[in-house]
Amino acid sequence: MTAFDIIALSRWYSLPRPKEENIMYAIVEIAGKQYKVSKNDTLYVPKQDATAKDKLTFDQVLLVADGDKITVGTPTITGAAVKATVLEQ
């Protein structure tokens, strides 16, 4: 597994958030699996071709939610991407 520190969007495990916050999140496909991600989350995914501190961009974004605005891809959203930094392999 690879651990990422997401600098744009990402979520694998996090504490519950207050409902009054409008948290931006996305559904992104990485290595054939879908992940719900938000900014500053840590994500554990199958091993990637990268080393610690490498920057990665995932462009298979299926959905983006920003408050009341939801954008759904057909199948992906053109121009949307999740940027991440590899923490460890």
Side-chain angles (χ1 to χ4, degrees):
M1 299 290 277
T2 301
F4 293 100
D5 182 23
I6 302 304
I7 54 178
L9 290 171
S10 173
R11 177 179 166 195
W12 173 259
Y13 169 79
S14 65
L15 298 174
R17 296 185 175 130
K19 290 185 179 182
E20 63 271 9
E21 288 186 37
N22 287 325
I23 302 297
M24 182 179 191
Y25 69 90
I27 304 295
V28 62
E29 184 176 320
I30 301 171
K33 296 182 180 185
Q34 295 178 10
Y35 299 89
K36 182 178 179 184
V37 298
S38 298
K39 186 175 181 177
N40 296 324
D41 287 337
T42 299
L43 183 67
Y44 297 91
V45 300
K47 188 172 177 105
Q48 301 290 304
D49 186 22
T51 59
K53 298 184 182 177
D54 282 355
K55 308 280 187 208
L56 298 177
T57 300
F58 301 104
D59 61 359
Q60 297 297 303
V61 179
L62 309 174
L63 177 143
V64 173
D66 189 4
D68 292 333
K69 182 180 177 189
I70 298 175
T71 305
V72 179
T74 55
T76 60
I77 301 170
T78 304
V82 172
K83 297 181 181 181
T85 302
V86 178
L87 296 176
E88 61 183 59
Q89 284 278 23

